[in-house]
Amino acid sequence: MGRKVRIFDTTLRDGEQTPRVAFSPAQKAEIAAALDSLGVDAIEAGFPVVSAGEHEAVSAIAAAGLAADVYGLARSTRRDVDAIVDAGLSFVHTFIATSSIHARDKLGMSEEAILGAAIDAVEYAKSRGLGVEFSAEDATRSDRAYLRRVYSAAASAGADRVNIPDTTGYSTPEHMAGLVREVAAAARVPVSVHCHNDFGLATANTLAGIAAGAASAHVTVNGIGERAGNAALEEVVAALEFLDPEATGSGGRPRSRPRGATRIRTRRIHDVSLLVSRMARVQVQHNKAIVGENAFGHESGIHTHGIVKNPLTYESLDPRLVGRRRWFAAGKHAGTHGVERTLAGYGLSPSAPELAAILERVKALGDSGANVSDMQVVTMAAEAMGREPPRRMVRLRELDVSTSAGQTPHAYVKLAIGDADHGATASGVGPVDASLAAIQEIVGGIYETRIADYAINAVSGGSDALCEVTVKVEDARGNAARARSVGEDIVVTSVQAVIDGINEIALRRGAERAAAPRRAKGRARA
Ligand code: MN
């Protein structure tokens, strides 16, 4: 593979333009470092003129010594370009709108005036020693002949690269491909594409642009961005690195390693996704490609049967290649193989008739519309196998929360773990955070658990609404448990969900211990 596609990440600029998202300078620095170790070629750190905090954040990233080229955004004015230089950046992304809608109704400028401003900004940025990527904003709704003139003039003025923004997500793959060819011919510098997801086509349009010769893709982690968002880094990169339908359809197999189309270290994708989701406070939709919770989850019996025999039956990407793990859920679509595999994780191997009885109960519970947790499957299995139900190692004894305006919330939690009681006090940003921090304090050292995901929803309207809490608890050995709890009190319900998750992990670790060699057992007793 010769030419690598340049990944220009704009999570910190266009991603931050997601409604209600704002990163602190410290968060921006942490995300920039994570993007750099992920292997992106360019990081758009921000738009320095928007605020003092933004200027500070961009300056810090510029000074961080990252391997990636660090860009700042600037309108096509000398003042904005000066702010880029003042922030210590070496690269600028300048833009001006070229569609008649923007020219007339936003800028109030003639086509000639816009062309002049674009040329002046590029020339000025070059005179100040900056590397320049120039964008004709709303390119996909601009007059084609005029657009060619603008790009050609920007390149003649010294732009090192030109970018085609599909600002309102109005392009189709065919249209983007044609546009890339035209702009490349007019500008004769490397072309980037910057696609928005208003019609769900951001990734498709980006790939079409690259196939037509674009050298660079503008993307954001988790596809965050204005309105429906930007092209998602994880989708564009996974498609470039792993998709190979022609070869696979001609008797080959799906790719088992990246083809090297980018410099991205794909196994780090999920960690960076989690970081951005946490800092942006934007939950990734469960059915999101590559990074969504369900992207490698299986429930249907037909699918789990296939997966157990050969994962390629229902996965065209090995989850480990993007830092994920596959998981199985029990429910109305469950099948013998999935349930058998779940139970094996807890050291249970029922006979065929027992397994049939367990599956029947799982389906009955699933039919009632419920999520069936591992703990429930294990309990049903114990009943069917005539065994003691699994012991809940961790039980809630006491919960005392204090919260009032102007005071830091505190929580005292007492848990029974096995036969001993353990208590801890912790503070947090709110009563839930304080309570979960106290739990973490108690069990973190014992089970090495951490809360990997927490989400709360109101089930019904009104201030007496029921809330639904779903959590994912993980331990340091890679065990993960998903638990869900519904109740009236958000603190109690949250605590219950987390304790359920911890109990699942404790149960699985108990099974691992039982399966371990005798020598380890002897040591554990001593
Ligand atoms: Mn944009």
Side-chain angles (χ1 to χ4, degrees):
M1 185 88 196
R3 177 185 74 110
K4 290 198 188 280
V5 176
R6 176 174 176 264
I7 299 298
F8 179 111
D9 183 280
T10 183
T11 304
L12 296 175
R13 200 279 297 171
D14 221 349
E16 199 189 24
Q17 287 173 221
T18 303
R20 293 188 287 273
V21 168
F23 299 120
S24 69
Q27 288 179 321
K28 281 203 157 195
E30 190 174 344
I31 293 172
L35 290 168
D36 199 49
S37 63
L38 180 65
V40 305
D41 300 278
I43 294 172
E44 187 164 41
F47 192 0
V49 292
V50 300
S51 74
E54 181 78 350
H55 189 275
E56 180 201 327
V58 172
S59 303
I61 295 168
L66 302 181
D69 295 341
V70 180
Y71 281 74
L73 184 68
R75 286 167 298 190
S76 290
T77 66
R78 294 190 174 204
R79 176 176 164 260
D80 277 23
V81 173
D82 285 336
I84 298 291
V85 177
D86 291 346
L89 292 163
S90 305
F91 296 92
V92 65
H93 174 203
T94 63
F95 74 98
I96 192 160
T98 49
S99 66
S100 58
I101 299 166
H102 277 243
R104 189 181 59 232
D105 297 330
K106 185 182 83 174
L107 298 172
M109 288 168 78
S110 69
E111 285 192 345
E112 292 313 307
I114 287 170
L115 184 63
I119 293 169
D120 185 66
V122 172
E123 282 178 347
Y124 183 64
K126 290 310 292 182
S127 78
R128 299 225 53 190
L130 297 170
V132 178
E133 177 152 344
F134 169 79
S135 278
E137 189 187 15
D138 207 14
T140 49
R141 298 190 305 176
S142 300
D143 176 77
R144 292 284 271 264
Y146 175 59
L147 198 57
R148 286 195 299 271
R149 272 180 72 207
V150 172
Y151 279 123
S152 157
S156 301
D160 303 286
R161 300 170 175 276
V162 294
N163 173 48
I164 304 174
D166 184 21
T167 303
T168 60
Y170 194 66
S171 192
T172 61
E174 297 76 12
H175 180 256
M176 186 53 86
L179 201 49
V180 164
R181 287 189 200 101
E182 253 178 63
V183 172
R188 304 193 167 279
V189 293
V191 174
S192 306
V193 289
H194 175 115
C195 299
H196 277 272
N197 206 33
D198 296 73
F199 283 81
L201 291 172
T203 297
N205 288 338
T206 301
L207 296 176
I210 290 167
S216 174
H218 285 206
V219 294
T220 63
V221 175
N222 299 337
I224 64 170
E226 291 168 300
R227 306 182 311 280
N230 288 61
L233 179 149
E234 63 277 8
E235 292 177 10
V236 170
V237 169
L240 292 171
E241 296 290 4
F242 301 112
L243 281 182
D244 202 359
E246 295 295 339
T248 307
S250 312
R253 292 164 71 84
R255 297 192 61 85
S256 58
R257 62 173 62 90
R259 61 159 60 79
T262 70
R263 289 180 190 80
I264 299 297
R265 299 178 181 103
T266 63
R267 287 175 189 262
R268 299 192 185 186
I269 283 176
H270 189 227
D271 279 345
V272 177
S273 162
L274 290 173
L275 177 75
V276 170
S277 170
R278 182 156 50 81
M279 293 200 163
R281 298 198 192 99
V282 175
Q283 185 99 24
V284 173
Q285 78 194 50
H286 280 193
N287 60 342
K288 170 84 174 61
I290 314 299
V291 295
E293 174 70 7
N294 292 354
F296 299 97
H298 305 276
E299 179 186 311
S300 136
I302 295 167
H303 288 216
T304 49
H305 181 193
I307 290 273
V308 167
K309 295 210 159 151
N310 177 357
L312 289 176
T313 51
Y314 288 100
E315 286 174 354
S316 49
L317 175 60
D318 181 336
R320 290 170 299 187
L321 293 169
V322 288
R324 302 292 309 272
R325 290 168 153 262
R326 106 177 28 100
W327 57 276
F328 299 94
K332 66 183 274 192
H333 304 106
T336 327
H337 292 84
V339 170
E340 195 172 25
R341 173 163 264 221
T342 298
L343 292 173
Y346 295 93
L348 294 172
S349 37
S351 67
E354 284 166 348
L355 193 55
I358 297 163
L359 185 62
E360 201 171 305
R361 292 184 199 199
V362 168
K363 282 175 176 286
L365 188 55
D367 265 336
S368 70
N371 274 314
V372 185
S373 70
D374 277 14
M375 198 66 164
Q376 286 169 309
V377 178
V378 171
T379 303
M380 289 185 272
E383 281 169 20
M385 297 166 75
R387 295 198 186 182
E388 286 283 302
R391 185 164 174 222
R392 291 176 62 88
M393 288 304 290
V394 181
R395 282 153 295 141
L396 181 64
R397 281 258 192 269
E398 269 181 64
L399 170 62
D400 191 6
V401 180
S402 82
T403 177
S404 58
Q407 303 257 313
T408 304
H410 279 81
Y412 172 74
V413 175
K414 190 197 273 184
L415 300 176
I417 300 182
D419 300 319
D421 283 355
H422 302 259
T425 302
S427 59
V429 296
V432 171
D433 188 43
S435 305
L436 301 191
I439 294 177
Q440 182 62 30
E441 173 122 14
I442 299 169
V443 303
I446 301 173
Y447 294 116
E448 308 166 274
T449 49
R450 68 180 190 104
I451 299 164
D453 198 14
Y454 171 93
I456 183 161
N457 285 303
V459 173
S460 48
S463 63
D464 62 347
L466 284 175
C467 68
E468 178 199 43
V469 174
T470 48
V471 297
K472 182 172 162 194
V473 180
E474 288 177 349
D475 73 0
R477 300 179 194 170
N479 288 310
R482 288 164 189 78
R484 172 179 171 275
S485 189
V486 176
E488 280 148 358
D489 182 308
I490 60 166
V491 180
V492 175
T493 309
S494 300
V495 163
Q496 208 51 62
V498 168
I499 291 176
D500 286 352
I502 294 167
N503 271 311
E504 241 179 73
I505 298 238
L507 202 60
R508 220 171 301 169
R509 290 168 73 114
E512 281 169 12
R513 246 195 326 278
R518 202 156 289 179
R519 195 168 53 85
K521 253 189 198 169
R523 198 188 298 145
R525 210 181 297 127

